[in-house]
Amino acid sequence: MEEKRREGLLEEKRLFFPPSEFHSTAVIQNPEIYELAHERETFWDERGKRLEWFKPWDKVLEWNHPFANWYVGGKLNAAYNCLDRHLKGARRNKAALIFEGELGDRRVLTYQDLQREVSQFANVLKSFGVEKGDRVIIYMPMIPEAVIAMLSCARLGAPHCVVFGGFSSDALKDRVLDAQAKVVVTSDGSYRRGNIIPLKENVDQALRDVSCVEKVVVVQRTSHPVDMQSERDCWYHEVIKNVSSVCPAEPMEADDMLFILYTSGTTGKPKGVVHTVGGYLVGVSTTHEWVFDLKEEDVYWCTADVGWITGHSYLVYGPLSNGATVVMYEGAPDYPEKDRYWEIIEKYRVSILYTAPTAIRTFMKWGEQYPSSRDLTSLRLLGSVGEPINPEAWMWYYKHIGGERCPIVDTWWQTETGMIMMTPVPGITPLKPGSCTVPFPGVRVEIVDPSGNPVPKGEGGYLVICDPWPAMLKTVYGNDKRYVDTYWSDIPGVYFTGDEAKWDEDGYFWIIGRADDVINVSGHRIGTAEVESALVDHPSVAEAACVGKTHEIKGQSVFAFVSIKEGIEIEDSLIHELKAHVVLKIGSLARPDDIFLTAELPKTRSGKIMRRLLKDIAEGRTMGDTTTLADAAVVNFLKKNIDAQK
Ligand code: WT7
């Protein structure tokens, strides 16, 4: 259904111009910026000046295809730019973080507070032997200490590697090992709808037989009992006591690593996406100000978890480098009531809200009575990220949250791009519901056919990025070859995003979805190969194939076809067991909604699983070409039985 809707998207003709008052007070008011930015290097050279550098760069870009080096020769520190820099003037006592706990507790940290605590914790890490270049894993709930830990690492030049708190101990272990981390920062637990997720227990399990980790720092959040290993583990509140709050920020080369963030791809093993200090910070700082039209007095709320790139770029580095006031909420949108988001907006007079289509569709389902009973008049701009937003959800967001006065910025980007790449610039770009509009100034993208030839307007193809951009990933951690193979090989000369998109007569872009074996569940990237290997890890499973199935709220859900080893009974209880096994191996975000057990999977004569047909079956539509199948009976059997279940 959703796919059909997306096919018909180009018929979406509604156009929304920036309200004149918004335009006349906007950070960017001159549409000529799009043309000016065609001088790409001059444009980004200019943007670099918004940060404070210990040493200016000699050259804006050195492009050794496909390896970029931005702001060559420049030295800076990301934490310094997010904190110390703001202490010199009026921002010193401005709220940097307004934290709202799930239980209703609250903490406000000014820029001065945050700078002090970051410096202290950086000194703690230093005392554990953490030096420039050492990797630190952060496995935390959405609490201020997560941000403090990130910035402390940045201050020392120790790349952080945040692992989303919803990942299982197995997934955590993979990341600890790949990064060869020296320290893990975690908390005893994390609140979710009043329950406790045992983060420390997961860390303990993950670290069994792992030798690289020397210290585990535990923030007390839930205060339930946890095991502490006397040599290895320590409490955050104990080690931070009486520690000096003076810690010089390490001068980093612009091209030094700022962090690693793991993301799913088409193979079973997640990739460690590497971002650097200089280019990344210029990219997220510029886009954060321009896309969200940031003003000094704004109260900005990004609902993403720090475990994802959105949390890195638009909860931490973008907004804090711009001296913004950031709202950080720990919990679920329906706890204790379904109006929790609207309550928070009313309470803190939030002016900019950045959230995901899956959340918007959920709110739509809950009904407009929840937002309408709260005062949302402080809002002036709305944002969307993570997956295509369908025009219905866009209109609902526009009307019921934005009161028909707030522009919506639909921002397309990726973990790898680091910064927003396609988006309206809200004071100048007319909006079309469902389209991420046009590339950000200084960014050039194209839609091409499989050989790399641009397709004419009105048509679709693969979305590629033509030129290097400042916040682009530097490489895949420890694996330059994988970087080249994954992003720069499928289509000659350009960066392949993995997405399929169309562009219309006005040159507006419409994302259709992933063109590769990646499923987008609630805006989170799940690799089919990862779920498949989790399933095959179960003793009863012979083979597994997963596809994305259109889901009303989540965008897509995981549909798994599983063939069972001979001699094993096909029982319903096995389905529950398999789902639980995926949760154990990866985390609940990857749990398949549907598992279909079968004796065999449909294959081509050369033995390749025909995912395309499985997708047709999962979506309940007529199957495409079946002539290359080895045995048509298999697929007919699947189709008949799955259709019968509906
Ligand atoms: C994939 C990247 C970037 C932050 C969150 C996801 C999809 C992202 C949009 C959008 C349509 C979008 C793409 C992309 N995506 N934003 N506004 N419209 N699709 O980061 O996990 O790296 O996933 O998310 O498919 O490739 P990610």
Side-chain angles (χ1 to χ4, degrees), residues 310 385-388 410-415 499 511 514 525:
T310 309
V385 62
E387 54 171 319
D410 176 1
T411 60
W412 179 93
W413 57 296
Q414 308 181 298
T415 304
D499 279 12
I511 307 293
R514 297 292 300 195
R525 245 205 259 183

Side-chain angles (χ1 to χ4, degrees), residues 381-384 389 393-395 397-398 406-410 424 431:
L381 182 73
L382 304 174
S384 171
I389 178 164
W394 195 103
M395 289 306 301
Y397 196 28
Y398 185 73
C406 308
I408 297 179
V409 288
D410 176 1
L431 314 172

Side-chain angles (χ1 to χ4, degrees), residues 544-620:
C546 297
V547 294
K549 177 179 186 216
T550 305
H551 187 282
E552 209 192 328
I553 303 289
K554 299 193 269 193
Q556 286 190 303
S557 64
V558 179
F559 195 121
F561 295 83
V562 173
S563 71
I564 298 301
K565 285 186 185 152
E566 238 170 282
I568 292 190
E569 282 289 314
I570 293 191
E571 279 177 297
D572 277 354
S573 63
L574 186 55
I575 294 182
H576 299 293
E577 224 180 276
L578 293 177
K579 287 185 183 177
H581 199 68
V582 173
V583 174
L584 185 78
K585 297 304 280 183
I586 307 175
S588 44
L589 68 165
R591 182 198 284 117
D593 276 22
D594 304 274
I595 293 189
F596 190 79
L597 303 177
T598 170
E600 266 182 89
L601 294 174
K603 295 197 181 149
T604 60
R605 285 178 208 111
S606 59
K608 249 185 108 177
I609 296 174
M610 292 199 62
R611 270 166 215 289
R612 183 175 48 80
L613 292 184
L614 292 178
K615 178 135 176 96
D616 289 341
I617 295 172
E619 298 283 11

